[in-house]
Amino acid sequence: MTDRLSKIFDKLEICGVFADIGCAHGYIAKAMLDSGKCEQAIISAISDKCLSKAQELLKDYLPLNKVESVVSDGFEKIDFCNQALIAGMGGEEIVTIIEKAKLKNKLPERLVLQPMKNCDKVRLCAVNAGYRVVYDKVFKSGGKFYNLIT
């Protein structure tokens, strides 16, 4: 796992159901399951093609019903999770995901957000959705700076 992903993982808490929205390769979901930080992980991506890498990485967990794999636009096809990660995408996209989920009462108890830009908009959106910001830092990884908000 990269240094960036490790820093994100460190801010995730123990939970029952963890959702990785836009999961990319699935490294965070695997780390959550391997470490016992979650009982079940939901991996989601916008297309089957995007989801296939994470499914391959988590193939040992799939038959154990520890991983649910869904093609979903944000929280659209996710019925429930305690904690969700939305990382590695633009802030505008994260705002759209949060706003759509709020309208459908699908927001989890806790969000961990790592926008690639427009951090101010993401922070404001989260607060307007009823969240309290408990961690908001900039960190450096691989020569780049990233925002991380919980």
Side-chain angles (χ1 to χ4, degrees), residues 5-147:
L5 293 180
S6 292
K7 286 181 179 5
I8 293 169
F9 175 76
D10 289 344
K11 292 301 170 195
L12 292 164
E13 295 181 352
I14 294 170
C15 64
V17 181
F18 166 73
D20 190 347
I21 309 298
C23 64
H25 290 86
Y27 296 128
I28 296 284
K30 185 170 186 329
M32 289 292 286
L33 289 163
D34 287 349
S35 68
K37 273 189 163 182
C38 72
E39 295 171 24
Q40 182 183 14
I42 300 168
I43 53 173
S44 78
I46 198 73
S47 71
D48 281 322
K49 184 179 178 184
C50 292
L51 201 52
S52 65
K53 293 173 191 166
Q55 289 170 326
E56 179 62 27
L57 182 70
L58 294 160
K59 65 183 174 193
D60 293 338
Y61 284 107
L62 287 166
L64 303 173
N65 293 322
K66 292 279 190 177
V67 174
E68 181 181 351
S69 175
V70 294
V71 174
S72 180
D73 183 6
F75 291 95
E76 183 180 289
K77 294 182 182 172
I78 297 173
D79 293 325
F80 173 81
C81 66
N82 304 107
Q83 175 176 223
L85 170 66
I86 311 173
M89 60 183 81
E92 299 277 346
E93 184 64 25
I94 293 173
V95 166
T96 299
I97 290 168
I98 293 170
E99 287 176 346
K100 284 182 181 178
K102 182 180 178 188
L103 288 173
K104 294 182 178 185
N105 291 324
K106 289 192 165 199
L107 286 171
E109 299 162 17
R110 186 167 192 273
L111 285 175
V112 176
L113 308 168
Q114 191 272 293
M116 299 305 277
K117 56 184 179 177
N118 296 312
C119 185
D120 291 342
K121 290 180 181 182
V122 171
R123 187 181 302 107
L124 181 61
C125 175
V127 170
N128 287 339
Y131 289 98
R132 181 174 53 97
V133 175
V134 295
Y135 181 88
D136 190 348
K137 301 283 183 188
V138 175
F139 67 92
K140 186 176 181 181
S141 176
K144 294 181 182 180
F145 290 94
Y146 300 94
N147 291 88

